[in-house]
Amino acid sequence: MLFLYNIIVQIANFSLKIVAQFSPKIKLFIDGRKPVFEILKSKIKPTDKTIWFHAASLGEYEQGLPVIEKIKQKFPNHKIVITFFSPSGYEVRKNNTVADVTVYLPLDTKKNAQHFLKLVHPEMVFFIKYEYWPNYLNELRKLKTPTYLISGIFRENQMFFKWYGGFYRKALDTFTYFFVQNESSKKLLLQLSKTNVSVSGDTRFDRVVAILEKDNSLNFIEAFKNDTLTIVVGSSWPKDESLLVDYINQTTEKVKFIIAPHNIKAEQIQELKNSISKKTVLFSEKETNNLADFDVFIIDTIGILTKIYSYADIAYVGGGFGNPGVHNILEPATFGVPIVIGSNFSHFAEATALVNMEGCISIANKNELIDAFSNLITNDDIRNEKGHICSTFVQMNKGATAIIMNNISLT
């Protein structure tokens, strides 16, 4: 099976090079990997001590950041190497300040894995949440490099638990220890006789708790809000926006809206703005307008949504009407904000928990959206109670980073 897997990787590599001619994102995926080995040669000396973290994308990077920061403190003489698989992670965080080297992960071929590990020669490796690359893991096992999975999630439909997943199960032998998010993941690993596992929880909770200690003020958001009840829409997709625009255009409630779309392409932003009948301003137009005069503020930039959530009275988090599902609800939750989401959230433990606890409201259509917003806008007690449920949930689940740090060592 490993032989077949390697053939598939080579075919995928060839196919992606063709697709890259027509897709800017795939072009970044291909072109971004070309200089990786030269970058590693120039930034890592054979005598350097290194620790390697791998994140699939932006969400996994943010998830692993509390551990990365603690490792950097504990091992100040080691260089931190961070790799990303996807452009949506690398392009946003390639200039992060926590790593000494940040690059794309070369495709999972045996040759790439051997070359990468020879140049990086890590003394310890962390995979965040998922992505189990057989060739990299096989080479790490040969090198006997301590390798950890943090905030791991396992599900029955994964290849490890299928009759044909033997080579994937063998790759798991590499891991020194599995730190998983929940008991169901632990039970699945125990079925594979993996006893080197414990439930540490999700490091994302530590990440969002730390946000509260930062300066989250934004003068332009304060000027726009102008002491008016404000709904913040984060990471919205077109299916979310079609419902939201109808509501915005029709509501008579005294409320303002901040919309931070997932996709900030100029033509899509303009299309969204044109669909809204109320006074609407873009982030890129904020310097030439009196923001207090507007009802809707569209954020056509990235990197400030977390701070914007601190000004929300109600949050709507997008993605719940598509695949893979709803985006990160923990950022508004940590600020004690009640949350509304779409109906596709079952694969996200924190969303499922908060819906069950009634701090988060799931809606399936326009009428349910109207009811949810109306109840939250008009009833201060309901809004405050649901917000309190959200903030308490975050505080009760912090601590995963400490558990991980207390159980790792260089040997």
Side-chain angles (χ1 to χ4, degrees):
M1 286 296 291
L2 182 59
F3 175 75
L4 179 60
Y5 169 82
N6 285 326
I7 291 175
I8 292 172
V9 170
Q10 294 292 352
I11 293 172
N13 186 30
F14 177 77
S15 301
L16 286 169
K17 288 179 180 178
I18 296 174
V19 176
Q21 306 303 314
F22 311 98
S23 168
K25 185 173 182 178
I26 299 300
K27 183 172 174 58
L28 284 173
F29 181 95
I30 295 296
D31 291 348
R33 284 169 162 78
K34 291 178 180 177
V36 167
F37 292 130
E38 289 303 317
I39 292 171
L40 294 175
K41 285 179 185 178
S42 67
K43 292 192 174 183
I44 300 176
K45 300 175 183 176
T47 54
D48 286 336
K49 298 178 179 180
T50 68
I51 297 173
W52 169 32
F53 287 84
H54 176 66
S57 191
L58 181 59
E60 290 70 41
Y61 168 82
E62 298 291 347
Q63 190 165 32
L65 194 55
V67 177
I68 300 172
E69 291 172 339
K70 290 296 183 183
I71 287 289
K72 192 175 180 72
Q73 292 174 13
K74 186 172 182 179
F75 303 101
N77 296 323
H78 285 68
K79 284 188 174 180
I80 302 297
V81 179
I82 295 178
T83 58
F84 286 95
F85 182 75
S86 79
S88 56
Y90 176 78
E91 296 300 329
V92 176
R93 289 290 181 261
K94 60 186 176 184
N95 296 319
N96 70 82
T97 57
V98 71
D100 298 282
V101 186
T102 302
V103 293
Y104 279 101
L105 181 70
L107 289 181
D108 185 37
T109 66
K110 183 175 181 180
K111 181 180 179 181
N112 281 347
Q114 290 175 335
H115 195 189
F116 178 89
L117 291 171
K118 182 178 180 180
L119 293 172
V120 177
H121 47 82
E123 295 188 15
M124 189 160 45
V125 177
F126 294 85
F127 285 76
I128 303 166
K129 189 177 180 180
Y130 52 50
E131 286 215 333
Y132 311 94
W133 298 111
N135 285 307
Y136 280 98
L137 290 172
N138 287 341
E139 295 305 318
L140 285 168
R141 184 172 65 252
K142 292 176 186 177
L143 295 169
K144 299 181 179 179
T145 305
T147 303
Y148 300 91
L149 178 70
I150 58 176
S151 292
I153 282 282
F154 289 90
R155 298 186 178 92
E156 288 183 350
N157 62 355
Q158 289 174 304
M159 192 176 292
F160 310 110
F161 311 106
K162 305 294 185 181
W163 65 267
Y164 51 82
F167 79 103
Y168 255 94
R169 287 192 290 273
K170 185 171 181 60
L172 292 181
D173 292 343
T174 300
F175 286 97
T176 307
Y177 211 83
F178 300 88
F179 297 99
V180 296
Q181 293 186 30
N182 52 39
E183 285 291 341
S184 61
S185 293
K186 180 179 178 178
K187 288 178 181 178
L188 285 170
L189 285 173
L190 289 174
Q191 290 176 18
L192 301 181
S193 300
K194 305 297 181 189
T195 58
N196 52 332
V197 54
S198 65
V199 178
S200 61
D202 189 343
T203 51
R204 286 185 303 163
F205 288 96
D206 299 324
R207 173 68 175 147
V208 296
V209 167
I211 291 170
L212 296 174
E213 301 172 2
K214 298 182 178 181
D215 179 6
N216 294 296
S217 60
L218 294 168
N219 292 337
F220 56 89
I221 296 295
E222 198 164 324
F224 168 79
K225 184 177 173 72
N226 196 27
D227 295 324
T228 304
L229 192 144
T230 301
I231 296 176
V232 173
V233 177
S235 303
S236 59
W237 289 77
K239 287 185 179 179
D240 302 297
E241 291 159 6
S242 65
L243 295 179
L244 291 160
V245 167
D246 282 346
Y247 179 83
I248 292 169
N249 288 341
Q250 295 174 17
T251 186
T252 58
E253 301 285 359
K254 189 177 183 344
V255 59
K256 291 195 171 191
F257 299 85
I258 301 173
I259 305 175
H262 179 76
N263 191 326
I264 59 168
K265 290 183 178 179
E267 62 273 16
Q268 294 186 16
I269 291 291
Q270 194 59 48
E271 184 179 345
L272 175 60
K273 182 181 180 182
N274 293 342
S275 69
I276 299 171
S277 60
K278 294 187 176 178
K279 291 191 66 175
T280 303
V281 65
L282 304 182
F283 172 86
S284 55
E285 301 168 336
K286 66 183 175 63
E287 300 300 335
T288 56
N289 287 280
N290 182 3
L291 296 177
D293 293 339
F294 292 87
D295 303 303
V296 183
F297 194 176
I298 299 176
I299 310 300
D300 54 343
T301 189
I302 61 173
I304 59 173
L305 176 57
T306 302
K307 290 187 176 185
I308 292 174
Y309 278 134
S310 71
Y311 291 89
D313 297 289
I314 301 164
Y316 179 98
V317 178
F321 288 102
N323 290 310
V326 68
H327 286 279
N328 185 3
I329 68 169
L330 294 181
E331 289 181 350
T334 198
F335 290 111
V337 180
I339 303 162
V340 180
I341 61 174
S343 54
N344 187 4
F345 61 87
S346 60
H347 285 304
F348 301 88
E350 69 283 0
T352 301
L354 273 176
V355 168
N356 291 337
M357 295 169 68
E358 299 185 356
C360 181
I361 303 169
S362 171
I363 57 101
N365 53 53
K366 177 182 175 180
N367 289 335
E368 291 182 6
L369 177 73
I370 293 171
D371 289 343
F373 278 168
S374 295
N375 287 335
L376 291 170
I377 291 168
T378 59
N379 194 313
D380 292 350
D381 290 340
I382 290 177
R383 188 170 67 249
N384 292 334
E385 179 185 358
K386 291 185 181 299
H388 180 70
I389 290 170
C390 288
S391 59
T392 301
F393 173 72
V394 172
Q395 291 294 328
M396 291 293 290
N397 283 280
K398 66 183 181 181
T401 303
I403 293 172
I404 293 168
M405 292 303 299
N406 287 335
N407 288 277
I408 62 171
S409 62
L410 283 173
T411 55

